[in-house]
Amino acid sequence: MRIGTKLALATMTGMLSLAGSAWGAEITVLANQGALSGIRDLAAGFEQKTGNKVVVSFEAGNALNEKINSNAPADVVTQVLDQFDDLVQRGKVVPGTFVEFARAGNGVAVKEGSLKRDISTPEAFKQAMLNSRTIGHTNAGTGPFNTKLFQKLGIYEFVKDKVKIVVGRPVAAAVAAGDIEIGIQQTNVIQPFPGTIYLGPLPPALMEYGRFGAGLLTVSKEPEVAKAFIKFMAAPENAALVRKSAMEPAS
């Protein structure tokens, strides 16, 4: 091989190496619906700060568990916090890597053009539930909080027959379609949604929070970058990115 050709190849190799460094690493995050909006904002912030790429893979329903159980290629998983002990025990998440990064409570929405109900106080929320023909929520995430909430308010027996469990779509979609009169779902999931009006979060005295964590998957091919992203997610200085999508930083 001629010297000139060798130099050209060496130069090209060096350029490709530099380009690879400039592009940074790429990690994939398996995100559940409850954490999706917060993850997207945090991912964008991490990309801007580090030059690494974060692919956010939204997995609805049982699809998230299927990917975890099948060891699908990914680096980070987000879940409700109490799921991580099991994930560690089953060898899916690396011990000591999961952290709580956000929390979210429930909010309320009605169809655009319908009566706006006052939910600003516990008594007002109670009356809004009693005066609604149908109430929609899910049985996933923060959905089960509502049964305990109705019991706490002493109205469960009065509203149980008009509660409709929403499956396979956001609660706000059922509200917009007119299938339910008033909907309750996690604040960052129920809004914004076309055709609905977001009335706001539950009164503070009634609020219960779902807690969300992120952990390093044992199948990760970029564990150092993935751990850096997890640390970034929980860092107090990045709280504004969590709040941007109607979630709250971990308490």
Side-chain angles (χ1 to χ4, degrees):
M1 185 180 291
R2 293 180 181 178
I3 294 176
T5 304
K6 288 182 178 180
L7 288 172
L9 288 172
T11 301
M12 184 177 295
T13 301
M15 291 175 65
L16 289 172
S17 177
L18 287 172
S21 299
W23 290 333
E26 179 176 299
I27 60 172
T28 296
V29 180
L30 302 181
N32 60 332
Q33 185 180 50
L36 180 62
S37 61
I39 293 296
R40 283 174 171 164
D41 289 324
L42 286 162
F46 184 74
E47 288 180 339
Q48 185 175 18
K49 182 176 181 179
T50 67
N52 296 305
K53 182 173 178 57
V54 181
V55 177
V56 181
S57 177
F58 167 49
E59 308 300 335
N62 197 46
L64 178 62
N65 291 329
E66 290 174 355
K67 283 208 168 183
I68 296 171
N69 292 335
S70 65
N71 294 321
D75 302 279
V76 176
V77 63
T78 68
Q79 257 293 10
V80 289
L81 197 63
D82 59 11
Q83 296 293 313
F84 279 95
D85 285 339
D86 175 66
L87 292 174
V88 169
Q89 289 174 6
R90 294 194 292 115
K92 302 302 182 181
V93 167
V94 178
T97 64
F98 68 89
V99 298
E100 182 179 358
F101 71 94
R103 64 179 190 165
N106 281 329
V108 183
V110 294
K111 186 177 177 64
E112 193 172 45
S114 67
L115 177 67
K116 290 185 182 180
R117 300 192 183 278
D118 178 17
I119 61 163
S120 61
T121 66
E123 183 59 31
F125 175 83
K126 176 180 177 179
Q127 290 304 314
M129 296 299 103
L130 291 171
N131 294 335
S132 297
R133 294 186 303 277
T134 51
I135 303 166
H137 66 79
T138 71
N139 262 348
T142 57
F145 292 171
N146 294 299
T147 298
K148 292 185 292 182
L149 174 61
F150 298 149
Q151 291 170 338
K152 178 181 178 180
L153 291 170
I155 61 172
Y156 179 72
E157 293 300 323
F158 299 98
V159 302
K160 65 179 183 180
D161 292 334
K162 55 185 179 181
V163 169
K164 293 188 175 182
I165 302 302
V166 180
V167 179
R169 57 177 171 165
V171 170
V175 172
D179 297 331
I180 52 177
E181 185 175 357
I182 196 164
I184 308 171
Q185 196 170 22
Q186 202 172 293
T187 53
N188 60 312
V189 177
I190 200 168
Q191 54 115 8
F193 198 92
T196 69
I197 297 173
Y198 180 60
L199 299 181
L202 269 62
L206 301 181
M207 186 68 83
E208 187 173 356
Y209 289 95
R211 301 164 63 197
F212 296 90
L216 174 67
L217 288 164
T218 54
V219 296
S220 172
K221 301 298 185 184
E222 295 284 354
E224 295 308 313
V225 176
K227 284 189 285 187
F229 180 52
I230 293 169
K231 183 178 180 181
F232 180 90
M233 293 166 69
E237 59 267 29
N238 298 318
L241 294 173
V242 177
R243 292 191 180 97
K244 186 177 179 181
S245 63
M247 300 187 81
E248 296 180 20
S251 58

